């Protein structure tokens, strides 16, 4: 690929593709994707999930057999499967961050993708990546050539997840406290990364990220606002990972990549700002601070 499109264009173009043209990914794109996946996979919290592209070529199409997605995906050329170490601090946030980087790269070379957090067979995907005893597969991504027509099933899934509806800016972003109003026109270029966070995919489109900007400083505190009983219910019924933590990593990825593209350097730290009166089910996660030279 000669010139990568802007990350803002890639984020805006990405969507959850559930219907694919049932043919292998072209050799050029497959090679680019495999090279990208084999690169640095360290997340902001310094854990290193590992990822693998399964069945992207005609000769190993058999590898897709038995990988159950319960009818949610049709015609995918392959899957990006990842694993991370169990019971490791921030493992899921880093998993979301690194996987979303891979997904955005795939989008930039015109491939379709779809995050799968619950609608896949955990044991068969774990076997494909040869997950070790201390590892697990929190989520996978279908990948392939985008079909021109979507199934009615796709539209129904998007409607049920309210995939085209995003929370308003004032429900996600605040100044100083959760009562403070943050206006996009008051923060110059930083409105762009925050807009890209709004477009981030999330489990059931819950958008659990909340961000507080410090007054007069380009410091942004990321909070996880959980959906009541969401993790507990899905863990019990579907044995799902804590996907809202994965979602936070995805949001961090969008913010970080966009800042870098528009020339803003920053760093991630864990320093709880101890903001009082947090909303129910809301916990501090991480802080991004601009680095000036």
């Amino acid at each position: 690929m000669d010139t990568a499109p802007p990350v803002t264009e890639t984020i805006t173009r990405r969507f959850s593709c559930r219907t694919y043209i049932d043919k292998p990914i072209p050799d050029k794109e497959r090679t680019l994707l495999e090279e990208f996946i084999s690169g640095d996979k360290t997340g902001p919290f310094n854990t290193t999930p590992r990822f693998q592209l399964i069945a992207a070529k005609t000769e190993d199409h058999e590898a897709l057999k038995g990988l159950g997605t319960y009818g949610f995906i049709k015609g995918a050329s392959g899957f990006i499967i990842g694993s991370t170490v169990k019971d490791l601090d921030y493992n899921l946030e880093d998993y979301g961050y690194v996987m979303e980087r891979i997904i955005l790269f795939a989008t930039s070379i015109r491939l379709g993708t779809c995050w799968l957090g619950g609608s896949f067979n955990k044991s068969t995907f774990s076997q494909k990546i040869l997950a070790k005893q201390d590892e697990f597969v929190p989520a996978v991504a279908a990948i392939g050539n985008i079909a021109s027509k979507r199934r009615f099933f796709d539209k129904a899934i998007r409607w049920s997840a309210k995939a085209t509806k995003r929370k308003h800016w004032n429900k996600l972003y605040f100044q100083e406290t959760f009562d403070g109003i943050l206006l996009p026109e008051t923060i110059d270029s930083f409105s762009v990364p925050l807009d890209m966070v709004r477009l981030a995919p999330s489990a059931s489109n819950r958008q659990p990220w909340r961000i507080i900007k410090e007054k007069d400083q380009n410091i942004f505190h990321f909070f996880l606002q959980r959906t009541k009983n969401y993790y507990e219910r899905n863990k019990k019924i579907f044995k799902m990972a804590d996907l809202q933590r994965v979602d936070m990593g995805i949001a961090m990825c969008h913010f970080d990549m966009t800042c870098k593209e528009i020339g803003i350097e920053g760093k991630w730290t864990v320093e709880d700002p101890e903001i009082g009166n947090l909303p129910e089910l809301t916990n501090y996660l991480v802080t991004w601070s601009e680095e000036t030279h």
Side-chain angles (χ1 to χ4, degrees), residues 76-91:
S77 305
F79 293 90
I80 301 165
I81 307 176
S83 63
T84 187
V85 176
K86 300 174 185 176
D87 304 321
L88 193 65
D89 288 345
Y90 304 109
N91 56 351

Side-chain angles (χ1 to χ4, degrees), residues 274-289:
E274 298 182 359
I275 293 168
N277 299 319
L278 296 184
E280 185 182 10
L281 302 173
T282 301
N283 293 294
Y284 168 76
L285 175 67
V286 69
T287 295
W288 185 96
S289 305

Side-chain angles (χ1 to χ4, degrees), residues 10-137:
T10 300
I11 289 171
T12 303
R13 196 173 71 240
R14 186 215 61 84
F15 70 99
S16 296
C17 179
R18 298 180 179 86
T19 304
Y20 300 86
I21 301 169
D22 191 6
K23 66 177 185 179
I25 295 171
D27 288 346
K28 179 182 177 182
E29 283 75 12
R30 176 180 52 80
T31 300
L32 287 169
L33 183 59
E34 288 180 333
E35 287 176 353
F36 190 85
I37 290 173
S38 68
D40 181 19
K41 293 183 285 292
T42 304
F45 296 103
N46 292 316
T47 76
T48 52
R50 59 190 185 91
F51 294 91
Q52 185 176 341
L53 178 63
I54 298 291
K57 297 180 286 187
T58 304
E59 55 266 33
D60 59 16
H61 196 68
E62 289 289 312
L64 291 183
K65 290 186 176 179
L67 289 179
T69 60
Y70 311 123
F72 280 80
I73 300 296
K74 183 179 180 182
S77 305
F79 293 90
I80 301 165
I81 307 176
S83 63
T84 187
V85 176
K86 300 174 185 176
D87 304 321
L88 193 65
D89 288 345
Y90 304 109
N91 56 351
L92 294 177
E93 291 82 2
D94 275 350
Y95 191 92
Y97 183 101
V98 178
M99 174 73 105
E100 184 67 1
R101 280 187 63 226
I102 296 170
I103 285 174
L104 291 177
F105 179 81
T107 304
S108 76
I109 57 174
R110 301 288 173 177
L111 296 174
T113 61
C114 184
W115 274 92
L116 298 171
S119 53
F120 70 97
N121 187 303
K122 310 293 185 299
S123 60
T124 54
F125 277 86
S126 294
Q127 289 167 17
K128 283 296 179 186
I129 199 171
L130 302 176
K132 300 169 186 173
Q133 194 169 2
D134 64 342
E135 292 179 326
F136 73 114
V137 177

Side-chain angles (χ1 to χ4, degrees), residues 214-269:
E214 289 196 5
K215 189 177 181 181
D216 301 325
Q217 295 188 84
N218 293 325
I219 298 174
F220 296 82
H221 304 294
F222 283 61
F223 292 78
L224 166 58
Q225 188 169 108
R226 290 188 175 277
T227 302
K228 191 172 184 178
N229 296 326
Y230 183 79
Y231 169 52
E232 292 78 8
R233 181 181 66 248
N234 287 321
K235 181 182 180 183
K236 183 177 181 180
I237 299 173
F238 303 111
K239 295 182 170 57
M240 283 165 58
D242 191 347
L243 296 180
Q244 295 200 308
R245 286 179 51 204
V246 175
D247 294 342
M248 293 302 295
I250 297 172
M252 291 170 64
C253 175
H254 280 214
F255 187 88
D256 207 13
M257 288 185 69
T258 306
C259 282
K260 287 174 180 173
E261 182 173 86
I262 62 179
I264 303 172
E265 293 297 325
K267 63 178 180 180
W268 296 103
T269 56

